[in-house]
Amino acid sequence: MRRALFPGSFDPITLGHYDVIKRGVKLFDEIVVAIGVNSEKKYMFSLEERKRFLEEAFKGEPKVRIETYTGLTIDFCKEIDAKFLLRGLRNPADFEFEKGIAHTNSKLSEIETVFLLTAPETSFISSSIVRDVIRNNGDYTILVPEIVRVNSK
């Protein structure tokens, strides 16, 4: 089975994340969308909310499973027997950042990283931009899946 892990904080899930996952489903037998838990990070949405957003966004997609994890991403890959990491790239800065992580992961494990370019219409979206728009009472609805629009703070 070709299982890929798509890790992130998903605070919140954006249309960019959604697009990469939907396109990744065509490449893998299963995608495990994994919410990384970092106790030192301050989140806008609780872990339960983020997990619910993802579960609702992909409730009709049997090839997508939602999990949470702590620790090293490659350790979680081994735990769930994922041979691939799926990552989205928006711009050259993302590539440079992700390249270093991918090289480190390949030195520490046999996990292969697969990059998908984000769609042009979502390439400007990041969770931090969405959070900033929400904090400032802006219209964030064109940046996130419907489940986030309906249930955000």
Side-chain angles (χ1 to χ4, degrees):
M1 171 180 275
R2 288 174 310 171
R3 179 176 293 130
L5 180 74
F6 186 62
S9 60
F10 305 103
D11 187 32
I13 180 177
T14 69
L15 289 177
H17 295 129
Y18 185 84
D19 174 65
V20 168
I21 295 165
K22 289 297 274 186
R23 290 176 26 230
V25 161
K26 298 173 187 171
L27 303 173
F28 299 100
D29 299 316
E30 181 180 48
I31 295 179
V32 177
V33 180
I35 305 168
V37 178
N38 181 342
S39 61
E40 296 184 16
K41 193 170 178 184
K42 177 104 170 103
Y43 297 104
M44 177 174 273
F45 296 93
S46 71
L47 179 61
E48 295 76 24
E49 288 173 307
R50 291 179 282 145
K51 188 172 184 196
R52 186 171 43 84
F53 291 162
L54 285 160
E55 288 170 344
E56 285 294 316
F58 294 101
K59 70 179 173 187
E61 180 50 70
K63 291 171 70 174
V64 175
R65 182 175 67 169
I66 313 304
E67 299 284 344
T68 62
Y69 75 102
T70 58
L72 290 176
T73 301
I74 58 168
D75 288 342
F76 189 63
C77 283
K78 292 173 189 171
E79 183 180 319
I80 65 166
D81 196 30
K83 304 290 188 224
F84 303 93
L85 276 169
L86 176 62
R87 302 299 295 155
L89 299 175
R90 295 171 295 184
N91 54 48
D94 279 357
F95 174 73
E96 289 302 322
F97 177 75
E98 293 289 347
K99 179 176 73 168
I101 294 171
H103 286 315
T104 302
N105 287 341
S106 70
K107 286 287 186 194
L108 298 174
S109 71
E110 295 184 10
I111 307 295
E112 188 69 46
T113 301
V114 176
F115 297 113
L116 288 181
L117 296 177
T118 56
E121 60 272 14
T122 63
S123 65
F124 66 95
I125 304 172
S126 70
S127 292
S128 57
I129 288 173
V130 172
R131 289 191 306 272
D132 194 46
V133 172
I134 291 171
R135 267 193 292 276
N136 290 287
N137 299 312
D139 181 8
Y140 62 94
T141 59
I142 62 168
L143 308 173
V144 297
E146 182 177 1
I147 184 64
V148 179
R149 286 178 250 163
V150 171
N151 292 288
S152 69
K153 298 176 179 180

